[in-house]
Amino acid sequence: NIKCSSRSVLNELSEPAAMEPQAKSSSSNGNSKAEGQTCCISKDQDVMGSLAALQLSAGVLQIAEPPLDRVRVQLRELIGRQNKIYIDLSKEKYKLDCSEVAKLNDMMGDVRRYKDKLAKIKKEMQGIYHRTKDLKKRAANVAACKQRDYQRKLDRQQHEESLIGGH
């Protein structure tokens, strides 16, 4: 079908080209009728050229349009699928972001809890240290008191023995 139309276009183009040399030869003879004919032929050639261009365009469109339509449909489908994938990926990213945020919040809660526990343990250890320090002082005082008492007892005993022995 398309070959036929392109052949007819070629035939139409070759026919005016064949007529043109005849028109030139008659116009060179100085014939005014031939000049008028040449003018009409050039107008006919313009119309024929336009017709040929239209037929060629129609032929090219007949060849190219169906694949282009298929490609257009496939592109629409592809873009739709890409948009769906993009939306799905965005949702998954949001879920991951939310889960990561939740994990981070849990970790921060754990950190706060452990920090509080650490502060409590530190406070208890400082309390134990102060009590131990106080107990050591007290133990040293008690030991010193016992030592003094023992020393006094010894002194008193020695004093009594010296009084009894000197008698």
Side-chain angles (χ1 to χ4, degrees), residues 1-129:
N1 184 15
I2 295 169
K3 289 181 181 179
C4 293
S5 65
S6 64
R7 284 184 190 160
S8 64
V9 169
L10 291 176
N11 291 337
E12 289 174 9
L13 287 176
S14 63
E15 288 174 6
M19 289 181 185
E20 191 175 327
Q22 293 171 355
K24 284 184 182 177
S25 65
S26 62
S27 93
S28 63
N29 292 337
N31 193 349
S32 67
K33 186 177 181 184
E35 285 178 13
Q37 221 176 9
T38 305
C39 179
C40 290
I41 289 174
S42 87
K43 286 181 185 176
D44 286 344
Q45 283 178 347
D46 288 344
V47 170
M48 294 297 258
S50 297
L51 182 61
L54 288 173
Q55 288 176 343
L56 281 173
S57 299
V60 169
L61 281 175
Q62 285 177 350
I63 293 170
E65 198 167 17
L68 286 176
D69 287 340
R70 281 193 306 269
V71 168
R72 225 179 262 125
V73 168
Q74 290 172 345
L75 277 175
R76 281 190 201 118
E77 290 175 7
L78 180 63
I79 290 170
R81 289 178 188 159
Q82 283 178 338
N83 287 337
K84 185 178 183 295
I85 289 171
Y86 177 77
I87 290 168
D88 291 345
L89 284 175
S90 296
K91 287 178 183 177
E92 289 299 317
K93 182 180 178 282
Y94 180 74
K95 286 179 187 175
L96 286 176
D97 289 345
C98 289
S99 68
E100 293 297 319
V101 168
K103 286 179 184 177
L104 183 62
N105 286 336
D106 290 344
M107 287 173 45
M108 293 304 288
D110 291 343
V111 167
R112 260 186 247 114
R113 214 172 18 259
Y114 292 138
K115 183 182 174 193
D116 292 342
K117 283 183 179 181
L118 181 64
K120 185 177 178 182
I121 290 171
K122 185 178 176 182
K123 190 175 180 180
E124 287 177 9
M125 288 179 69
Q126 285 176 344
I128 291 171
Y129 170 75

